[in-house]
Every structure is written in structure tokens, then in C-alpha cells.
């Protein structure tokens, strides 16, 4: 079939911007500030529990790693690949330094390559509550065994110390070693993108962690890896020293930063030394600090790619095996990934990760919608003999030349992100998007290839790079990956992920598998093990980013499992009695502003409204209440806690089926009401949920609502779907007194809710005063 031949890289404008940013004068000022010996650097993590400490990872590297059971092509028995990804979260506030919001998608996809590939993610200390669970038996999203987070915070000098290994052959550094470490540490903290400069040397930098691997490679987190064991051929692992996968722009002879693997041998691991920006890193920073030369961004895709092309005793393969989210493909057609999304299926045994999207035909999008997500289980070609590659070269290998070989040493530009001195070596002539390029003992060749023909005209390749989408992606906009075992896979779009529901014949205990919820009873011990609460992170407060204009940067992150932010006031002790299939959860949020906190009457009225809703709904059915208090104080914390806490001496039966969480903030800033509602809805234990009850609007649900909601749930329980609109049946403004007698009758006497006067805010209704 025809491969979508997308452009390789981020847009040229983006590349130019990256280069400009990394050259700003502020970097020079930064270097001068460290010249005086300042010790300010990346804050170190204070948590004790690491997913893998640096020391533990080093010990593990000494032993042969376990080989998984995926159906591959035989590579797993004699080869194993380590993909090295250093990660530094941006931002000065350590509490917000989290893994990217799409990390759950990365992990869900990476799981399918466990039989051949490990992903070693090195970080400099991410707060414990922002790390995902690594227990695959737990509910919700968890990291697979082949994704390993390695904390370098417990290594003296951290990540910067390891990066300085590139200068280990120099007898005398041009500046004090400790000063240089602090400069590098601060540099990568302010500009995490410069980590890509070190990619070429990662086989040397992280050698201690790579001893048991036959190959190492580099990549990024904004990638969904597909069925790598099926796509990486024995020939690529045995007969080539370096293999790189691109998008169809093989006329640019650079080693792709998205996926390049190397044989783990001393010779190959030292090829980078031909790049002075690495081997002379101390001189580079020293000259910049003295003002002798501007500190400029150096892409390893430039120098390193040119260095390896000069070798006459190694073999390199430049293959076309990747999808990208670029809007326009290499041949000028519209990308189907952009219009139809990218699908990834886990297979019947949940041990595969097959990536595919619609083909180029106008009707291929419709075919994609009706395609069984596990199509590859019955595909003769895909599931046929393991030694038959999914991409094959054919015809003769034809010698090709670069621009320099043809005498064009000047004014040659085929890639804007690489320094101009390397362009003549990297720009090849007469190479088509359907050609594989080889470097064999100093001679360049091209050879045509063809991919397997898959059903419904789909395109399937080993990975998808969402370099543009990641800037818009927010994990809670569509759906988070809670538990991969409950889905057939997911579809990724620009805004997030949508789970692929099981086929209609896939029955569970309650008729259909439930997305994002475990079909088992609630455990009363959830407050101890946290396994019954979602691990997803929610962006409560964000600010607008300059680039891209429509994107936002998260300034405050919250999670149900973060005890430092979320106070569980009521643990819903009777959720073990609910019916997950037929009951409906009412999710409510209450955001209290600083001026409301300062008015005791208004604060009490808001809390009474929340309690009234709980009493109406939670007699038989579960509910979730999430409270956010801005401008909080100790007195307010005590008042809210007393209202929604139950004890043996003062029991409150209406709280037995309600999960109540509260976030108390000393900051006066309000947060996103939608994010709060998403967070509340994520904790619901049932398949069906009523959302939209933002109690600061003065909403009070009627007692009939639960009956109508239950009827709707029963009526739809056999549907293959997870989202239904149910009536909310709430009243507002002066309707409270009409409901009070019913509440008294069901729950006994309690102080009546006051009639609330509302005023029109430019955005919403807010409670501003109380009359008794």
C-alpha cells in the first residue's frame, strides 16, 4: 500500500524559533551568575519512594532482563533494546513538575513492545504524588514493566553530572568542574529542549545502565510506539550498526531524533566525539560565559549525522517507518491522521500495540470506523510467519550522492534546523519518499520498498509522532487511560484520547465492559491503598501560551491521590453496597471564592446547599462532592471538615455513600470549574454519571431525579457506549424552601436552607447575600 509521506520535522518556523530561544542573551547572563559560584539549581526531590532509583537501576543493568511474551519476529531471543529518554520538567515550582499529560498514552502504547524494548526515562526528581503507579495489578492507569522511571536525584550532581561525561577524555577543563555542573544543570532546567543535544552520546553517558542490552537508542515522550517487535527486523538488528526511522524524507540523511537505535559496542558508542559541541562542552560554555562566542543551540541531527556519514566501516539503514501529525504529507495530500485520528489496539490478550490510521482513499475513513480493532489477529500477513517483514525492499540498490559529492559545497539547504556547514553532506539527490537509504562501508545506496497491504485500506506503521498535537493535548479533555485491560485500545486526536469500546459481543458481568471504572465492588480500604481512586492529574489553573496561540500551560495540577492537596473528608464507606451497572452517581463541585469565605453567612449557606444535595441523593445512590476553597484559612478548613466528616461519636448517615474531597488554597485565584467537574466525575464508581452540578450556582437537585436517572441507566445498560445525557432536575434561586419539607421527612430535622439572593455576574450566577 502507499505510505503517507509526511514531512519529517516540526515546521520550519518552529525550528527557527527553537534556535532563537536557545540563543537569547539571558543565557549569557545565566552563565555569568554561575561564574561566581552560585549553587542554585534544579530543586531536588524530597520523596523517598522512587520508581527506580539510579543505584537500583544500575544494579539491575548488570543482570539479564526478563524477556516478554509478545508475538514478534524472533528478535527477542538474542536482542534487547534500551530506548533512553532524559526528561526535565519545566517550571520553577517543583510541585508542578510533572510528567507530560500524554504520558499515560505513551505508556499504554509502550506496553506492546515489552518483549523487545525497554524505555529508560531518567529524571531529576519528580514529586512522589505526581508519579504514576507502577503496579500493573492496581486499578486505573499504571506503568508497564518495560517503562522504567529512573530518579537521578540521589546521584551526586544529578543528570548534569552524567552529561559531563562527554568531557571525560580532557585532562584539564576550561572551568571548575563544580561550576560547569551547575551551569549545565540550570541550562537544561530553563531550556529542557537542549537535552536533544546529548542524544548522540547517550550510549556513553548512560553506559552504566545499558550493559545488558544489545542495542540502545534515543527517542521522545511525544510518541506512540506500536508493535515494535513485529516491525524491527532481524536484519536491522544484526546487519546494521545504526538504524533510524523517518517519515518519507530520506533525501535528508540525518539520524532521526524520534527513533534511532545503535549497536551497543564501544566503537559505535564513541562516534559522537567528532562533534566539538559535545566533546568540548567545557570550552563551549566557558567561551559563552566570557562573551567570546554566543551560546547557540546545536542539533545532534546536524553534526552527528554528518560524522557518521564519513565512516567507511559501518552500516546504516534509513527506513521509512513512521507516522506524523503534520497536516500535509510529503506528496502534498491532507494527512488522514489529522482528519480521522490515529488508532492503537492492544489485541485480544492486551499484549500488543498496533498503530493504524485511514488510508488515502476518500472512503477509507468510513471503513476505519467499522474495522474491528483486533483486525491484525486474523490478518494472514500480519499474523503470519514471524520472519516475513511488514516492509520489504525490492529491486536493485542504486548508488546515490550527496550535494557535496556532486560539487555543491555552498548554498545547499534541505533542513533548516541543522547548521549550514553540514547541509552539503546531509542533502542527497534523487531519493524518493518510497526509497530506503543505506550507508554500506562508506557508499550510499537507495532501494525501493513496499509495505504490507492491510484490510480496509488502512496504514499501519511502528510509531506515531504527535509533535504538534502535544502542544494542545490535555489528558482530561476527552478521556484518560485508567485501565488498559478494560478497552480494546484508544484513538488519539489533537485534543486527547477516546477509548475504543469492546465489540458488542464482549460481555462483562454487567453486560458491557466499563471504560475507566472497574466492574468490582468498592473497597473500604481505598484511603490506604489509593487503588479505587483515579490516578489522573487534572489541570486546575492554566495560563495562555504565546505559541501556539490556542494552547495553554498548566500552572496548578491536582490528583485524588495527592494527599498534600486533596483532603478526603468522607470516604464513602457504603460504596461497597452499590450496583455499578444500574446506580447513577451524582457528581457535584463547589468553588468558594475569597469574598464568600470572608462572609460567614454566605459560607454557611453554600455548605448547607452542598449538604442538602447529598441528603437528597445519597440515601440510596452514590455521590461525589469536590470542594475548592480559595483564600482559605485554618478556621475555614475546620468548618468545612466538621460539616462533611463523620465519626463514631457523631455519625452522619447521609455521608456513607458520598465521597467528599476538599482542596484548600491560600491563594485567592479561582480555578477551572470544568476541571473540577472532570476531577469529580473521574472518581464516580458507576458506569453512569450525572455531571454539571456546580453548587456555587445555587442548584439543588430534586428527589425525583434519582428515579429518572436510574430508569435511564437500566434502559441503556445494553448499549455499547459510555456517555449519555441524563436530566439533572435541579432548582435554583428561591426554590429551596419547597424542597426542605421533603428533606426533613427523609432525613430528619436539620436547619432549613436559607433563601438565597443571586446577582448576575458577567460570567455566572454567584451567591452574594443571604436573607433568613
Amino acid at each position: 500500500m502507499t505510505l503517507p509521506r509526511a514531512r519529517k520535522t516540526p515546521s520550519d518556523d518552529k525550528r527557527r524559533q527553537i534556535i532563537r530561544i536557545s540563543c537569547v542573551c539571558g543565557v549569557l547572563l545565566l552563565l555569568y551568575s554561575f561564574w561566581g559560584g552560585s549553587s542554585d539549581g534544579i530543586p531536588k526531590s524530597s520523596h523517598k519512594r522512587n520508581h527506580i532509583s539510579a543505584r537500583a537501576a544500575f544494579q539491575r543493568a548488570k543482570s539479564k532482563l526478563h524477556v516478554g511474551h509478545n508475538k514478534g519476529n524472533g528478535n527477542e531471543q538474542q536482542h534487547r533494546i534500551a530506548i533512553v529518554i532524559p526528561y526535565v520538567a519545566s517550571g520553577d515550582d517543583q510541585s508542578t513538575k510533572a510528567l507530560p499529560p500524554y504520558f499515560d498514552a505513551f505508556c499504554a502504547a509502550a506496553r506492546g513492545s515489552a518483549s523487545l524494548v525497554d524505555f529508560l526515562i531518567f529524571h531529576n526528581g519528580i514529586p512522589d504524588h505526581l508519579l504514576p503507579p507502577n503496579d500493573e495489578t492496581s486499578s486505573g492507569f499504571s506503568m508497564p514493566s518495560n517503562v522504567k522511571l529512573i530518579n537521578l536525584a540521589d546521584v551526586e550532581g544529578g543528570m548534569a553530572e552524567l552529561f559531563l561525561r562527554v568531557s571525560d577524555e580532557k585532562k584539564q577543563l576550561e572551568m571548575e568542574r563544580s561550576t560547569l555542573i551547575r551551569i549545565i544543570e540550570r541550562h537544561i532546567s530553563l531550556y529542557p529542549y537542549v537535552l536533544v543535544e546529548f542524544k548522540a552520546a547517550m550510549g556513553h553517558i548512560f553506559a552504566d545502565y545499558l550493559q545488558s542490552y544489545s542495542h540502545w537508542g534515543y527517542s521522545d515522550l511525544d510518541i506512540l510506539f506500536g508493535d515494535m517487535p513485529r516491525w524491527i527486523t532481524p536484519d536491522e538488528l544484526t546487519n546494521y550498526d545504526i538504524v533510524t526511522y523517518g517519515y518519507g524524507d530520506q533525501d535528508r540523511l540525518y539520524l532521526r531524533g524520534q527513533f534511532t537505535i545503535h549497536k551497543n559496542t564501544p566503537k559505535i558508542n564513541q562516534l559522537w566525539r567528532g562533534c566539538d559541541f559535545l566533546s568540548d562542552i567545557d570550552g563551549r560554555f566557558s567561551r559563552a560565559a566570557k562573551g567570546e562566542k554566543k551560546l547557540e543551540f546545536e542539533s545532534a541531527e546536524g553534526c552527528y549525522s554528518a560524522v557518521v556519514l564519513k565512516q567507511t566501516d559501518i552500516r546504516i539503514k534509513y527506513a521509512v517507518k513512521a507516522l506524523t501529525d503534520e497536516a500535509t504529507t510529503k506528496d502534498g495530500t491532507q494527512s488522514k491522521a489529522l482528519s480521522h485520528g490515529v488508532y492503537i489496539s492492544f489485541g485480544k490478550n492486551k499484549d500488543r500495540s498496533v498503530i493504524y490510521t485511514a488510508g488515502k482513499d476518500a472512503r477509507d475513513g468510513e471503513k476505519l470506523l467499522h474495522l474491528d480493532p483486533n483486525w491484525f489477529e486474523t490478518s494472514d500477513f500480519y499474523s503470519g510467519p514471524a520472519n516475513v517483514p511488514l516492509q520489504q525492499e525490492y529491486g536493485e540498490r542504486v548508488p546515490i550522492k550527496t550535494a557535496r559529492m556532486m560539487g555543491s559545497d555552498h548554498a545547499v539547504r534541505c533542513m533548516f534546523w541543522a547548521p549550514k556547514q553540514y547541509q552539503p553532506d546531509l542533502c542527497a539527490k534523487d531519493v524518493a519518499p518510497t526509497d530506503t537509504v543505506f550507508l554500506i562501508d562508506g557508499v550510499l545506496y537507495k532501494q525501493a520498498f513496499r509495505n504490507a497491504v492491510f484490510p480496509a485500506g488502512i496504514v499501519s506503521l511502528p510509531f506515531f509522532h504527535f509533535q504538534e498535537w502535544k502542544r494542545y493535548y490535555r489528558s482530561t479533555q476527552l478521556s484518560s487511560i485508567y485501565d488498559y485491560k478494560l478497552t480494546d485500545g484508544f484513538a488519539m486526536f489533537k485534543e486527547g484520547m477516546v477509548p475504543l469500546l469492546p465489540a458488542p459481543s464482549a460481555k462483562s458481568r454487567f453486560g458491557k465492559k466499563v471504560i475507566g471504572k472497574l466492574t468490582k465492588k468498592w473497597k473500604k480500604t481505598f484511603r490506604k491503598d489509593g487503588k479505587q481512586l483515579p490516578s489522573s492529574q487534572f489541570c486546575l489553573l492554566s495560563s495562555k501560551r504565546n505559541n501556539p496561540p490556542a494552547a495553554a500551560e498548566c500552572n496548578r495540577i491536582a490528583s485524588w491521590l495527592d494527599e498534600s492537596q486533596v483532603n478526603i473528608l468522607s470516604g464513602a464507606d457504603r460504596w461497597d453496597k452499590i450496583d455499578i451497572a444500574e446506580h447513577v452517581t451524582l457528581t457535584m463541585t463547589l468553588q468558594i471564592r475569597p469574598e464568600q469565605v470572608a462572609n460567614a453567612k454566605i459560607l454557611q449557606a453554600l455548605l448547607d446547599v452542598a449538604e442538602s444535595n447529598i441528603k437528597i441523593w445519597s440515601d440510596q445512590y452514590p455521590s461525589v462532592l469536590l470542594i475548592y476553597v480559595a483564600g482559605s484559612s485554618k478556621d475555614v478548613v475546620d468548618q468545612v471538615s466538621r460539616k462533611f466528616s463523620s465519626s463514631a461519636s457523631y455519625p452522619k448517615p447521609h455521608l456513607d455513600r458520598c465521597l467528599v474531597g476538599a482542596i484548600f488554597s491560600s491563594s485567592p485565584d479561582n480555578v477551572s470549574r470544568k476541571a473540577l467537574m472532570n476531577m469529580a466525575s473521574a472518581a464516580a464508581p458507576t458506569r453512569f454519571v450525572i455531571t454539571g452540578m456546580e453548587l456555587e450556582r445555587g442548584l439543588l437537585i430534586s428527589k425525583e431525579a434519582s428515579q429518572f436517572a436510574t430508569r435511564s441507566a437500566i434502559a441503556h445498560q445494553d448499549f455499547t457506549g459510555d456517555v449519555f445525557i441524563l436530566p439533572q432536575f435541579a432548582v435554583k434561586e428561591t426554590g429551596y424552601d419547597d424542597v426542605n419539607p421533603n428533606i426533613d421527612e427523609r432525613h430528619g430535622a436539620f436547619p432549613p436552607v436559607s433563601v438565597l439572593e443571586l446577582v448576575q455576574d458577567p460570567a455566572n450566577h454567584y451567591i452574594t447575600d443571604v436573607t433568613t
Side-chain angles (χ1 to χ4, degrees):
M1 65 179 300
T2 305
L3 176 73
R5 294 163 295 193
R7 288 190 295 123
K8 165 264 162 196
T9 63
S11 66
D12 294 337
D13 289 340
K14 179 182 175 184
R15 287 285 186 174
R16 294 190 188 101
Q17 181 188 20
I18 291 170
I19 295 173
R20 289 197 300 267
I21 290 174
S22 57
C23 299
V24 294
C25 295
V27 177
L28 297 179
L29 295 176
L30 163 72
L31 295 173
Y32 279 119
S33 70
F34 277 107
W35 195 253
S38 171
S39 60
D40 183 26
I42 301 176
K44 299 299 187 293
S45 171
S46 60
H47 62 78
K48 301 297 184 183
R49 181 184 64 82
N50 298 320
H51 279 54
I52 303 179
S53 69
R55 296 185 183 91
F58 175 63
Q59 293 299 325
R60 183 174 298 181
K62 293 181 178 179
S63 60
K64 190 69 175 178
L65 292 173
H66 173 71
V67 173
H69 58 278
N70 290 18
K71 183 184 291 186
N73 51 25
N75 295 332
E76 304 93 325
Q77 302 306 315
Q78 55 181 326
H79 300 290
R80 190 154 190 87
I81 303 170
I83 299 298
V84 178
I85 305 176
Y87 177 77
V88 174
S90 60
D92 292 330
D93 183 1
Q94 180 71 4
S95 65
T96 64
K97 288 189 174 183
L99 290 159
Y102 44 83
F103 185 67
D104 52 358
F106 173 89
C107 287
R111 176 181 278 105
S113 297
S115 66
L116 179 63
V117 183
D118 283 335
F119 299 89
L120 310 185
I121 302 172
F122 295 89
H123 64 94
N124 244 11
I126 295 174
D128 192 46
H129 65 272
L130 296 179
L131 291 172
N134 55 6
D135 178 10
E136 293 198 44
T137 64
S138 67
S139 67
F141 161 68
S142 60
M143 289 195 307
S145 60
N146 65 321
V147 176
K148 307 176 189 299
L149 290 178
I150 302 173
N151 186 4
L152 296 178
D154 60 348
V155 175
E156 185 178 357
M159 191 178 295
E161 173 75 27
L162 290 178
F163 285 164
L164 197 51
R165 288 184 176 183
V166 296
S167 64
D168 56 8
E169 289 191 352
K170 300 193 73 171
K171 296 181 179 179
Q172 181 67 40
L173 297 178
E174 295 190 24
M175 63 168 59
E176 289 293 332
R177 182 180 182 85
S178 59
T179 301
L180 184 57
I181 290 175
R182 290 196 301 271
I183 290 175
I184 295 175
E185 185 178 47
R186 187 62 174 171
H187 188 50
I188 62 178
S189 177
L190 290 177
Y191 308 103
Y193 186 81
V194 300
L195 290 172
V196 304
E197 293 184 341
F198 296 91
K199 282 186 173 181
M202 286 181 183
H204 175 75
I205 293 170
F206 297 102
D208 294 342
Y209 304 90
L210 303 175
Q211 295 178 14
S212 63
Y213 295 94
S214 63
H215 291 73
W216 66 271
Y218 47 73
S219 187
D220 301 302
L221 292 179
D222 57 344
I223 286 180
L224 297 182
F225 282 96
D227 198 355
M228 304 302 287
R230 187 67 179 88
W231 280 94
I232 299 176
T233 66
D235 177 64
E236 290 174 346
L237 294 176
T238 303
N239 296 328
Y240 296 94
D241 299 291
I242 302 175
V243 176
T244 186
Y245 288 175
Y247 309 98
D249 59 339
Q250 308 306 91
D251 54 327
R252 301 164 172 173
L253 301 175
Y254 64 96
L255 301 179
R256 275 66 179 172
Q258 291 74 39
F259 186 78
T260 296
I261 57 175
H262 305 68
K263 278 187 177 179
N264 192 12
T265 63
K267 174 181 175 59
I268 300 301
N269 291 353
Q270 301 302 315
L271 290 174
W272 59 272
R273 291 194 183 274
C275 295
D276 290 342
F277 76 90
L278 288 173
S279 57
D280 187 35
I281 191 170
D282 58 315
R284 178 185 172 205
F285 280 99
S286 176
R287 288 187 290 273
K290 296 175 182 178
E292 297 175 358
K293 187 176 181 180
K294 184 184 298 185
L295 184 65
E296 296 182 345
F297 171 73
E298 291 277 358
S299 171
E301 292 180 345
C303 176
Y304 182 52
S305 299
V307 165
V308 299
L309 282 170
K310 296 178 181 179
Q311 309 302 310
T312 59
D313 56 351
I314 66 173
R315 298 165 66 92
I316 304 176
K317 181 178 180 179
Y318 304 80
V320 181
K321 292 187 181 181
L323 287 170
T324 181
D325 60 358
E326 287 287 334
T328 306
T329 61
K330 183 76 172 180
D331 59 4
T333 61
Q334 186 75 10
S335 169
K336 293 298 182 180
L338 183 66
S339 56
H340 295 286
V342 173
Y343 288 64
I344 181 164
S345 176
F346 302 144
K348 294 178 180 178
N349 297 324
K350 312 302 182 187
D351 61 350
R352 307 286 288 274
S353 296
V354 177
I355 291 177
Y356 56 99
T357 189
K360 291 188 175 183
D361 187 88
R363 298 188 60 186
D364 285 347
E366 181 180 352
K367 296 176 184 177
L368 180 66
L369 293 176
H370 298 286
L371 183 65
D372 182 351
N374 296 321
W375 58 268
F376 51 88
E377 301 278 9
T378 57
S379 170
D380 292 337
F381 195 94
Y382 199 102
S383 298
N387 60 349
V388 177
L390 298 179
Q391 182 183 96
Q392 290 182 296
E393 286 78 29
Y394 65 95
E396 296 183 2
R397 288 187 179 178
V398 179
I400 59 173
K401 294 183 178 181
T402 65
R404 192 181 300 278
M405 293 176 184
M406 301 179 68
S408 301
D409 291 352
H410 305 288
V412 175
R413 298 296 295 268
C414 63
M415 43 196 293
F416 289 94
W417 58 96
K420 62 182 180 180
Q421 64 265 33
Y422 307 120
Q423 299 282 334
D425 296 309
L426 302 179
C427 301
K429 302 295 183 180
D430 301 322
V431 177
T434 52
D435 288 335
T436 300
V437 174
F438 305 88
L439 177 69
I440 308 295
D441 298 331
V443 180
L444 286 166
Y445 300 89
K446 68 175 181 179
Q447 186 177 15
F449 71 86
R450 54 180 166 234
N451 288 334
V453 177
F454 300 115
I458 62 172
V459 175
S460 181
L461 286 166
F463 73 81
F464 170 62
H465 184 204
F466 49 102
Q467 55 191 353
E468 293 296 323
W469 290 4
K470 71 178 180 184
R471 303 194 293 169
Y472 300 90
Y473 187 97
R474 298 178 73 176
S475 60
T476 57
Q477 280 188 287
L478 293 181
S479 179
S480 299
I481 297 298
Y482 287 104
D483 193 337
Y484 76 99
K485 297 183 290 292
L486 301 180
T487 70
D488 284 339
F490 60 89
M492 173 174 275
F493 301 92
K494 181 178 179 180
E495 296 82 7
M497 296 176 293
V498 175
L500 296 180
L501 296 169
S505 61
K507 297 287 185 180
S508 70
R509 176 181 173 187
F510 299 109
K512 294 290 178 292
K513 291 185 177 180
V514 183
I515 307 306
K517 311 289 184 292
L518 280 181
T519 51
K520 64 182 181 182
K521 297 302 182 183
W522 179 264
K523 295 181 180 178
K524 291 185 179 180
T525 59
F526 83 99
R527 281 178 288 184
K528 294 182 180 179
D529 60 27
K531 293 181 180 179
Q532 295 295 318
L533 288 173
S535 60
S536 300
Q537 298 168 4
F538 298 86
C539 181
L540 301 185
L541 186 65
S542 60
S543 58
K544 187 176 180 180
R545 291 174 54 183
N546 293 328
N547 184 35
E553 181 176 1
C554 189
N555 303 117
R556 178 160 189 181
I557 298 171
S559 167
W560 280 102
L561 300 184
D562 181 4
E563 296 180 0
S564 67
Q565 292 198 62
V566 181
N567 296 268
I568 304 297
L569 305 182
S570 172
D573 291 337
R574 295 192 65 189
W575 272 12
D576 59 336
K577 305 297 183 183
I578 64 176
D579 188 317
I580 295 174
E582 295 186 2
H583 286 175
V584 179
T585 302
L586 175 67
T587 58
M588 303 168 285
T589 59
L590 173 59
Q591 182 166 190
I592 305 176
R593 300 184 300 168
E595 56 269 31
Q596 296 167 338
V597 170
N599 188 316
K601 289 185 177 180
I602 293 178
L603 176 61
Q604 186 60 47
L606 287 168
L607 300 181
D608 287 344
V609 169
E611 185 178 52
S612 297
N613 279 285
I614 295 174
K615 288 184 175 182
I616 292 172
W617 190 268
S618 296
D619 184 51
Q620 300 181 41
Y621 306 112
S623 60
V624 177
L625 171 62
L626 181 60
I627 304 171
Y628 183 89
V629 184
S632 182
S633 64
K634 184 180 184 303
D635 290 341
V636 173
V637 173
D638 293 340
Q639 181 179 357
V640 175
S641 299
R642 286 194 303 270
K643 187 75 169 180
F644 298 104
S645 297
S646 182
S647 63
S649 58
Y650 188 54
K652 298 180 180 179
H654 59 280
L655 294 177
D656 289 347
R657 287 186 173 87
C658 184
L659 172 66
V660 181
I663 302 174
F664 299 102
S665 174
S666 59
S667 169
D669 294 332
N670 293 320
V671 297
S672 166
R673 290 182 294 125
K674 297 304 181 185
L676 284 178
M677 186 56 68
N678 287 340
M679 187 171 173
S681 301
T686 57
R687 179 184 182 190
F688 297 103
V689 180
I690 292 181
T691 68
M693 288 292 291
E694 297 168 347
L695 302 184
E696 62 270 20
R697 295 173 176 267
L699 296 176
L700 191 70
I701 202 160
S702 71
K703 67 177 182 179
E704 294 83 7
S706 60
Q707 301 172 12
F708 283 103
T710 302
R711 292 175 188 173
S712 296
I714 295 173
H716 291 96
Q717 63 180 345
D718 290 330
F719 279 51
T720 307
D722 198 49
V723 178
F724 297 96
I725 298 175
L726 302 179
Q728 295 185 17
F729 295 96
V731 296
K732 64 179 180 179
E733 297 184 359
T734 59
Y736 301 114
D737 289 341
D738 296 334
V739 185
N740 281 336
N742 297 327
I743 299 175
D744 290 338
E745 180 182 347
R746 294 175 64 187
H747 300 284
F750 75 103
V753 180
S754 301
V755 178
L756 304 179
E757 294 182 354
L758 303 176
V759 297
Q760 181 68 42
D761 182 270
N764 303 292
H765 283 98
Y766 287 111
I767 298 172
T768 60
D769 199 1
V770 178
T771 58
T772 57

